[in-house]
């Protein structure tokens, strides 16, 4: 690991920036994607799945914050698992995190294209999605301080917009509509809905990827994470519940723009407010798209710097102090995913990468408590070992459910991990880690 390269990332981020990155990474999950969960579970089934996943994320984030503040490294989960378990731990965590952060932006780009198409039917969904990659890779090349400021502005706009949306549609909420056909697929539907409930919070852990660029990480990171998860819990539950009482869930469960569609039902599709909201709805998607690009670029950079990926991907641009090759490589991979996948498939794949990473991160927390009791821990998880144990257990349940209901996608995911491991062993790289 080159000290010259690791020193070249700027330490400029404050708690407000981390809150914005944490919420911004995730907030598109409140705008679209989660509604596919209704299609497999109904409203009450999905509410149960969401409450289980919310408990998983709250316990996970409090536990994960201990790791991030103890080991503020751009690799995030990769660094924690590598320290706890050696090369194989780093490989599993790095692979899972990379899959999550490479396939999440295409899902958001699909939604950006769909929102734009909803507003201007002449615009092609894929053309808009590709254009978004080009524009936001360019913004990210300009520097982390500029990127973080952009995140802050669009995240504040996105949160404000969700609050306005809740205010407009809440008076039209009908309890009868919400509980009509509430669990058509019974308890199996609750398990099938888990990856879509994960989409409400997926990628909040991406804050760990900018840990090397934080001023005073020992105090700043914990504040950013905790304020972030609290904001998201309130928004996720509010948006899902009020939207479920506007129209039968069947009419909103297979589209990439459920909120403008719900507003269209309340106000009329041609109402100026509906059109305005659909335009502003792009802010939430933009905030997450931008944040996940920061996330994947730092993960690729950290893996390359540690010898897990080709070395050129770990080079930092001298002028802008950003990992330019990592940004471009992740963009190429994302554009391929756009061509090959659909939104629901991409969400499931991202959720699969996430839960594998959550499991190995919680295992690393337990291992490091035993292996390195003297490690400085500026933030210690409350209710240890209960919180990390709950997060580990619920992540395992989510993994089993995702694999059971998505066998082919899971085979692709785990086959990729096996191939990467074989290549790693064949090239002898495990001997140097």
């Amino acid at each position: 690991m080159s000290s010259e390269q690791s020193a070249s990332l700027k330490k400029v981020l404050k708690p407000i920036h981390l809150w914005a990155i944490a919420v911004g990474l995730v907030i598109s999950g409140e705008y679209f994607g989660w509604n596919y969960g209704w299609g497999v579970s109904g409203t009450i089934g999905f509410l149960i799945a969401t409450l289980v996943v919310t408990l998983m994320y709250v316990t996970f984030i409090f536990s994960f914050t201990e790791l991030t503040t103890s080991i503020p490294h751009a690799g995030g989960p990769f660094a924690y698992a590598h320290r706890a378990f050696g090369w194989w731990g780093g490989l599993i965590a790095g692979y899972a995190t990379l899959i999550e952060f490479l396939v999440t932006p295409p899902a958001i780009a699909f939604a950006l294209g769909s929102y734009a198409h909803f507003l201007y039917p002449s615009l092609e969904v894929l053309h808009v999605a590709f254009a978004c990659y080009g524009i936001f890779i360019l913004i990210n090349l300009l520097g982390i301080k500029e990127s973080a400021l952009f995140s802050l502005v669009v995240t504040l706009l996105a949160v404000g917009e969700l609050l306005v949306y809740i205010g407009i549609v809440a008076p039209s909420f009908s309890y009868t509509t919400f509980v009509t056909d509430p669990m058509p697929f019974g308890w199996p539907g609750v398990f099938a809905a888990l990856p879509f409930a994960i989409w409400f919070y997926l990628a909040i852990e991406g804050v760990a990827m900018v840990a090397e660029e934080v001023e005073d990480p020992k105090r700043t990171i914990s504040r950013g994470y905790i304020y972030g998860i609290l904001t998201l819990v309130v928004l996720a539950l509010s948006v899902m519940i009020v939207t479920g009482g506007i129209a039968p869930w069947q009419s909103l469960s297979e589209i990439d723009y459920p909120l403008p569609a719900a507003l269209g039902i309340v106000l009329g599709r041609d109402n100026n407010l509906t059109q305005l909201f659909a335009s502003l709805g792009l802010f939430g998607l933009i905030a997450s798209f931008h944040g996940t690009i920061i996330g994947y670029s730092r993960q690729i950079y950290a893996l390359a710097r540690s010898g897990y990926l080709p070395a050129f991907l770990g080079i930092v641009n001298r002028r802008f102090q950003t990992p330019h090759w990592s940004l471009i490589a992740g963009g190429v991979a994302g554009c391929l995913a756009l061509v090959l996948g659909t939104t629901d498939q991409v969400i499931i794949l991202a959720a699969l990468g996430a839960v594998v990473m959550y499991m190995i991160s919680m295992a690393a927390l337990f291992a490091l408590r035993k292996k390195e009791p003297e490690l400085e821990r500026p933030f210690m998880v409350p209710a240890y070992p209960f919180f990390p144990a709950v997060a580990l257990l619920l992540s395992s349940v989510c993994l089993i459910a995702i694999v059971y209901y998505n066998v082919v996608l899971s085979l692709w995911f785990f086959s990729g991990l096996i191939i990467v491991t074989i290549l790693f062993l064949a090239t002898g790289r495990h001997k140097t880690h």
Side-chain angles (χ1 to χ4, degrees):
M1 188 185 293
S2 159
S3 60
E4 192 180 325
Q5 284 177 354
S6 63
S8 61
L9 292 171
K10 283 193 213 170
K11 290 184 178 294
V12 292
L13 302 180
K14 296 180 168 63
I16 186 73
H17 296 124
L18 287 194
W19 171 84
I21 290 171
V23 175
L25 274 162
V26 181
I27 201 164
S28 66
E30 274 66 17
Y31 281 84
F32 84 103
W34 58 268
N35 53 307
Y36 286 95
W38 280 344
V40 295
S41 63
T43 45
I44 298 298
F46 189 56
L47 178 59
I48 295 166
T50 303
L51 291 172
V52 169
V53 164
T54 299
L55 177 62
M56 178 182 89
Y57 269 93
V58 170
T59 52
F60 169 74
I61 283 300
F62 274 97
S63 307
F64 197 68
T65 302
E66 177 177 313
L67 291 166
T68 310
T69 50
S70 307
I71 309 165
H73 184 287
F78 153 72
Y80 321 145
H82 188 277
R83 187 151 171 171
F85 305 118
W87 71 266
W88 65 267
L91 188 72
I92 294 169
Y95 173 81
T97 311
L98 197 54
I99 292 292
E100 177 192 354
F101 276 86
L102 282 178
V103 303
T104 299
I108 303 167
F110 267 128
L112 278 163
S114 298
Y115 265 66
H117 183 69
F118 175 82
L119 285 166
Y120 308 104
S122 60
L123 291 175
E124 292 288 332
V125 173
L126 270 181
H127 293 173
V128 174
F130 290 139
C132 289
Y133 263 104
I135 293 162
F136 286 95
I137 286 172
L138 199 60
I139 290 170
N140 273 280
L141 282 170
L142 298 177
I144 188 63
K145 193 170 185 180
E146 294 74 10
S147 294
L149 182 61
F150 182 85
S151 272
L152 178 59
V153 172
V154 289
T155 300
L156 286 170
L157 288 168
V159 170
E161 189 192 3
L162 285 179
L163 295 174
V164 170
Y165 167 79
I166 292 162
I168 292 171
V169 301
S172 302
F173 175 85
S174 160
Y175 177 75
T176 308
T177 303
F178 189 77
V179 297
T180 300
D181 203 10
M183 286 179 70
F185 310 104
W187 287 100
V190 174
F191 285 96
L194 287 171
F196 302 105
I198 286 169
W199 189 248
F200 270 132
Y201 304 106
L202 183 119
I204 186 172
E205 66 279 358
V207 171
M209 315 296 178
V210 295
E212 285 183 33
E213 295 159 278
V214 173
E215 279 182 8
D216 190 13
K218 291 170 185 175
R219 290 175 64 233
T220 302
I221 290 170
S222 57
R223 288 182 189 174
Y225 265 140
I226 291 161
Y227 298 152
I229 191 70
L230 293 176
T231 305
L232 290 162
V233 168
V234 171
L235 290 174
L237 292 171
S238 303
V239 167
M240 187 247 298
I241 290 167
V242 298
T243 308
I246 299 305
W249 57 262
Q250 293 89 339
S251 64
L252 296 173
S253 63
E254 290 186 3
I255 52 174
D256 280 347
Y257 46 90
L259 305 197
L263 261 188
I265 292 162
V266 172
L267 301 173
R269 194 178 190 276
D270 297 324
N271 185 291
N272 289 337
L273 264 178
T274 306
Q275 294 290 316
L276 179 66
F277 184 87
S279 307
L280 294 175
L282 297 171
F283 285 127
L285 302 175
I286 285 166
S288 292
F289 189 65
H290 178 66
T292 48
I293 285 177
I294 295 175
Y296 81 58
S297 62
R298 271 42 178 196
Q299 185 66 14
I300 293 172
Y301 161 77
L303 289 169
R305 188 177 63 176
S306 300
Y308 282 74
L309 286 173
F312 79 93
L313 294 169
I315 295 170
V316 173
N317 184 281
R318 286 189 177 181
R319 183 175 171 193
F320 299 116
Q321 292 176 277
T322 49
H324 55 295
W325 289 117
S326 294
L327 280 161
I328 293 163
V332 171
C335 288
L336 275 172
L338 274 172
V339 176
L340 299 173
T342 61
T343 303
D344 55 341
Q345 288 175 326
V346 170
I347 288 172
I348 289 160
L349 205 52
L352 196 53
V355 293
V356 168
M357 185 270 283
Y358 300 161
M359 288 168 68
I360 196 155
S361 295
M362 293 303 94
L365 175 61
F366 285 116
L368 288 168
R369 279 283 187 113
K370 273 186 96 169
K371 188 177 168 185
E372 297 188 43
E374 303 306 312
L375 178 67
E376 187 189 355
R377 292 176 171 86
F379 177 92
M380 292 183 77
V381 57
Y384 181 87
F386 178 71
F387 268 31
V390 169
L392 180 58
L393 174 68
L394 293 177
S395 300
S396 307
V397 170
C398 288
L399 178 65
I400 292 163
I402 294 168
V403 171
Y404 182 80
Y405 287 100
N406 305 279
V407 175
V408 175
L409 278 174
S410 302
L411 277 172
W412 279 104
F413 176 86
F414 288 108
S415 299
L417 178 57
I418 290 164
I419 291 164
V420 167
T421 306
I422 290 167
L423 286 172
F424 199 75
L425 290 168
T427 53
R429 292 198 175 191
H430 63 290
K431 293 173 185 171
T432 60
H433 290 80

